[in-house]
Amino acid sequence: MFSKTEFRSQSVSTSPVAKKRRTILKAGSTLLISIMAPDLALAAMAAQILAVRVWPAEDYTRVTLENNSDLKTSHFTVKNPERLVVDIEGIELNPTLKELVAKIQSNDPYIKQVRVGQNRPNVVRLVFDLKEEVNPQVFTLQPVGNYQHRLVFDLYPANPPDPIAAMIEKGDWHKDLPKDLTPPRIDNKPELKSELKTDSKADKADKTDKPDNKPEHKTDPATESDKNAVKTPVLTRMITIAIDPGHGGEDPGAIGRGGSREKDVVLSIAKRLKAKIEQIPNMRVMLTRDGDYFVPLNVRVQKARAVQADLFMSVHADAFVNSSARGSSVFVLSEKGASSSAARWLADKENAADLIGGVNIKTHDKQLASVLLDLSTTAQINDSLKLGKVVLSEISSINRLHKGAVEQAGFAVLKAPDIPSILIESAFISNPEEEAKLTDDTYQDQMADAVVKGIKKYFSRNPPLAKNRLT
């Protein structure tokens, strides 16, 4: 142990021995501080909050804190009024974290406000004042892509609404759409059968050869039977289409050179598609997301099954390392492997969306890692191929095709075993010319029109039957 006199003499000495002694003293003093005042030592090494983000939605509200290291947390709920309290260890209150207060919107479905404070040295407390009871999920995500460590709070309603009841309750399917996309009011809607007719000779004869006082036109019994097969089922129940705008929230998807984000482009196309489909009598649409928030891949599938969807269509905007790649594509699920190396690469990229968007591993359906093989999977793929072919054919009239045939790969989002499912790559957002198309209202409208035509043709050839739900 050095005396005070020795310590002073060492501090002014420049000899090698003195330098060595100063190094030892410095290390000893640091150790002493860590022993005698651990809070001060920890504060010097405290993690830094780099960004705060809030993603409100009807499904749930997500709050994300991005930071430079993994954080330890504890949380609990309080009643009367409803609150969620979160303690975060290893950080000090900083201006970035204080920004969270201003990021809570008045129309957030679940959060009234948030209070942020230094609860005790090296521990920050967040108090979420809630609008209703929630089931909170608090978890961390490891660095991926452009993100560092993330601490995530997902606030789900404790009593979620029944999905079919919610669709019926909304009634006005078009209230969230731009004014120019809202379909005109139709007081006396024609039956769905008139919307689904094809250009076959039998259909043309049905339209023209029925003037008054003329003998009945004889038809082939087989043709008449086919026509009735199309008409009867579509009048017995509502047809539900699930439209899935890819990515969202923490996951922007591909980003074009001009800064266009895939998640924004595909949501716009999906809303246009929704408006056009719902102009057809007896058809309704469920969007897996109707705003800028993240939906895990397996939840997208679950949502479609929950509303007993007749079709599932996931909308994307492709990207490739080479900006010259261009053209539209349609993909369906594959049991045995991808139809090309490009299809396999794309499926791997899309399946990584959960890593970017952020999935709570503890609640994630691990079955999604492999294809769901059961008695209906082969039939689902066959029906998906039929749907994909007619949609691809219609898209070819508005944009060149990247491949002339429907491709197959192990896309996780197409794994509903009982719903014909396709993934539409509307164009390459990584191609400057096609990026301009994707952000153009006219092209988005043309893409929606083409898909609707494909849906009509599919149902005219494959009438929807009573669904036998799998459990």
Side-chain angles (χ1 to χ4, degrees):
M1 197 72 178
F2 293 102
S3 67
K4 291 183 179 178
T5 304
E6 288 172 329
F7 184 83
R8 282 197 297 270
S9 65
Q10 298 296 332
S11 64
V12 296
S13 174
T14 58
S15 68
V17 175
K19 289 181 179 179
K20 185 175 181 180
R21 285 176 176 173
R22 284 201 300 272
T23 301
I24 295 172
L25 283 170
K26 185 176 180 181
S29 62
T30 301
L31 178 62
L32 184 63
I33 290 174
S34 65
I35 295 172
M36 302 299 293
D39 289 339
L40 293 176
L42 288 172
M45 300 181 291
Q48 294 295 312
I49 301 297
L50 307 174
V52 294
R53 295 180 290 274
V54 181
W55 309 97
E58 287 187 15
D59 292 11
Y60 72 111
T61 291
R62 167 169 288 191
V63 178
T64 304
L65 307 184
E66 188 175 358
N67 47 278
N68 60 358
S69 66
D70 204 359
L71 297 176
K72 183 179 178 181
T73 66
S74 60
H75 69 278
F76 57 92
T77 57
V78 182
K79 298 286 186 181
N80 301 319
E82 295 286 342
R83 284 158 288 165
L84 170 66
V85 181
V86 182
D87 285 340
I88 309 173
E89 300 180 21
I91 65 171
E92 297 294 318
L93 191 59
N94 70 354
T96 303
L97 189 52
K98 290 179 180 179
E99 292 176 5
L100 181 60
V101 175
K103 288 183 179 288
I104 303 300
Q105 304 172 18
S106 60
N107 62 348
D108 189 298
Y110 305 108
I111 304 176
K112 287 182 182 177
Q113 64 177 3
V114 63
R115 290 170 281 146
V116 183
Q118 194 74 47
N119 181 252
R120 58 185 184 273
N122 209 43
V123 176
V124 167
R125 171 165 287 187
L126 309 180
V127 179
F128 294 93
D129 295 317
L130 305 171
K131 295 181 178 179
E132 63 177 76
E133 184 182 359
V134 301
N135 284 329
Q137 293 184 14
V138 181
F139 56 98
T140 59
L141 298 169
Q142 294 302 307
V144 62
N146 295 324
Y147 292 121
Q148 295 196 40
H149 294 268
R150 284 174 288 171
L151 175 61
V152 180
F153 314 107
D154 283 349
L155 309 183
Y156 290 90
N159 301 298
D162 177 82
I164 295 180
M167 290 180 69
I168 295 172
E169 185 178 349
K170 285 183 179 179
D172 179 8
W173 309 110
H174 317 287
K175 63 182 180 181
D176 296 327
L177 298 172
K179 291 181 179 179
D180 61 325
L181 292 181
T182 304
R185 181 175 178 179
I186 302 175
D187 294 324
N188 297 308
K189 292 184 178 181
E191 292 179 329
L192 179 58
K193 59 185 177 183
S194 64
E195 292 285 346
L196 299 180
K197 286 180 179 177
T198 64
D199 293 331
S200 67
K201 293 180 180 179
D203 290 327
K204 289 180 179 177
D206 186 52
K207 293 177 183 177
T208 57
D209 295 338
K210 290 189 178 178
D212 292 338
N213 303 321
K214 279 196 174 185
E216 290 186 5
H217 181 71
K218 292 183 179 181
T219 58
D220 179 33
T223 304
E224 189 66 30
S225 175
D226 289 343
K227 286 167 63 179
N228 290 335
V230 174
K231 292 177 184 177
T232 303
V234 298
L235 297 177
T236 58
R237 67 175 179 85
M238 183 74 77
I239 296 173
T240 303
I241 314 292
I243 301 176
D244 172 48
H247 309 282
E250 293 283 291
D251 175 21
I255 299 177
R257 286 188 176 183
S260 305
R261 300 181 302 184
E262 181 180 5
K263 67 175 183 178
D264 300 327
V265 168
V266 298
L267 180 60
S268 181
I269 293 174
K271 286 186 174 182
R272 292 174 186 273
L273 181 54
K274 178 179 187 291
K276 293 176 184 296
I277 291 174
E278 288 179 342
Q279 290 183 59
I280 304 173
N282 288 31
M283 281 198 183
R284 64 186 175 192
V285 171
M286 184 276 294
L287 292 176
T288 59
R289 70 176 179 94
D290 56 7
D292 188 10
Y293 57 96
F294 176 70
V295 182
L297 297 175
N298 66 321
V299 175
R300 295 169 191 258
V301 176
Q302 290 168 8
K303 283 187 168 190
R305 298 193 73 200
V307 297
Q308 303 183 40
D310 296 280
L311 298 179
F312 179 91
M313 316 180 83
S314 191
V315 184
H316 292 255
D318 210 349
F320 196 63
V321 291
N322 186 344
S323 63
S324 64
R326 60 185 301 166
S328 302
S329 306
V330 173
F331 295 84
V332 303
L333 185 64
S334 171
E335 286 183 276
K336 300 177 181 178
S339 56
S340 69
S341 57
R344 183 183 302 106
W345 178 86
L346 180 63
D348 290 342
K349 183 172 71 71
E350 296 295 359
N351 291 346
D354 277 355
L355 297 176
I356 305 294
V359 170
N360 186 358
I361 299 299
K362 293 180 180 179
T363 62
H364 188 50
D365 182 5
K366 294 181 180 179
Q367 272 191 315
L368 207 61
S370 61
V371 177
L372 298 174
L373 293 176
D374 63 23
L375 295 177
S376 68
T377 302
T378 301
Q380 184 260 32
I381 292 176
N382 289 337
D383 286 339
S384 300
L385 284 167
K386 293 175 185 177
L387 173 62
K389 287 175 182 177
V390 291
V391 170
L392 188 68
S393 175
E394 295 298 331
I395 291 177
S396 69
S397 66
I398 66 162
N399 193 33
R400 67 177 291 177
L401 300 180
H402 185 64
K403 288 286 181 70
V406 175
E407 293 202 77
Q408 294 183 255
F411 290 91
V413 79
L414 301 181
K415 292 183 179 180
D418 50 347
I419 306 173
S421 305
I422 64 173
L423 186 145
I424 301 168
E425 292 288 359
S426 48
F428 276 85
I429 201 170
S430 55
N431 181 298
E433 290 182 16
E434 294 206 331
E435 180 186 8
K437 279 186 176 183
L438 287 166
T439 55
D440 179 70
D441 290 344
T442 301
Y443 180 78
Q444 290 187 4
D445 216 41
Q446 290 174 339
M447 178 61 65
D449 280 331
V451 176
V452 170
K453 289 178 182 177
I455 292 172
K456 289 180 180 179
K457 285 188 175 180
Y458 172 79
F459 278 125
S460 70
R461 300 168 186 173
N462 305 274
L465 304 175
K467 293 184 71 66
N468 182 15
R469 287 289 306 279
L470 293 177
T471 56

